[in-house]
Amino acid sequence: SQNSKDVEGKALAMYQASRKELEGKKSYTFSHILVQDEETAKKLKAQILEAKKYWKEKFKELAKTNSTDTISAKNNGSVGKIPETALPKDLTTPLSNMKENLLYGPIQTSFGFHLIVLEGKEDLQIPPFEAVKQQFLSQVIMQKTNEIATELAKDRKINFSKNL
């Protein structure tokens, strides 16, 4: 029917806009130690560098015991792979300039001070429309439902206290 073609057309348009926004973006795989003050970050960095060729093992050990990011701390500091769109701007800029497998920091962000090891950088993988079609269809339907509900409720007083 015409309605389902309209919904699919809007979903495709939303996907294309989203795709355009993501093109050229990167995803980063990295580990970090997050602490609240620069002094602590500098002390930890010195301990890591003292470990010479075993610095990566020292980094993991210190991440586990010192990082205030409790989720990555459990994984030896590993954050995993994160698209730059999900990272704060004050972290994407330094990450974009890093070389792999080197220790960087302290880098200050809104979260605190980071010591960072970049493990990988790659172009963000954008799934084909068919793979994400349902999410975009759901979004279009939700928007339309909200428009209809808003229109229906426009001139009515709605009493939310009933049956509570």
Side-chain angles (χ1 to χ4, degrees):
S1 78
Q2 187 58 44
N3 268 351
S4 63
K5 280 193 179 108
D6 290 349
V7 169
E8 194 153 329
K10 283 182 180 161
L12 181 59
M14 283 172 87
Y15 167 79
Q16 288 168 334
S18 175
R19 183 182 178 93
K20 190 173 188 165
E21 212 174 285
L22 296 174
E23 273 174 7
K25 301 276 190 230
K26 302 276 183 213
S27 60
Y28 298 96
T29 304
F30 65 98
S31 294
H32 77 151
I33 299 173
L34 176 63
V35 293
Q36 289 312 302
D37 62 285
E38 191 172 12
E39 198 54 43
T40 304
K42 285 179 177 176
K43 283 179 186 164
L44 293 173
K45 185 174 186 175
Q47 289 177 43
I48 292 164
L49 295 176
E50 278 168 26
K52 306 261 189 269
K53 69 178 183 177
Y54 301 106
W55 72 271
K56 283 187 179 179
E57 288 80 0
K58 190 67 172 176
F59 179 94
K60 291 174 182 179
E61 175 192 315
L62 293 174
K64 220 177 193 70
T65 55
N66 291 274
S67 187
T68 58
D69 177 352
T70 54
I71 295 167
S72 70
K74 288 179 198 153
N75 298 313
N76 300 316
S78 176
V79 176
K81 185 195 286 190
I82 301 185
E84 73 176 84
T85 53
L87 290 167
K89 284 274 180 270
D90 53 7
L91 201 51
T92 52
T93 303
L95 280 167
S96 69
N97 294 313
M98 289 180 187
K99 291 184 177 11
E100 291 180 18
N101 298 311
L102 295 174
L103 178 63
Y104 290 90
I107 295 166
Q108 185 175 12
T109 69
S110 52
F111 295 103
F113 291 84
H114 305 256
L115 296 178
I116 298 176
V117 178
L118 178 69
E119 285 121 25
K121 182 186 334 188
E122 61 187 49
D123 289 335
L124 191 59
Q125 298 303 308
I126 304 169
F129 179 61
E130 285 307 312
V132 290
K133 184 177 177 177
Q134 278 314 121
Q135 287 100 307
F136 284 95
L137 287 172
S138 297
Q139 241 177 309
V140 171
I141 292 166
M142 185 67 84
Q143 283 178 349
K144 192 64 182 165
T145 304
N146 286 339
E147 285 170 23
I148 293 167
T150 302
E151 186 58 35
L152 287 172
K154 193 167 56 178
D155 298 320
R156 295 204 176 114
K157 283 191 168 67
I158 300 173
N159 184 351
F160 289 103
S161 62
K162 272 187 185 170
N163 304 323
L164 287 182

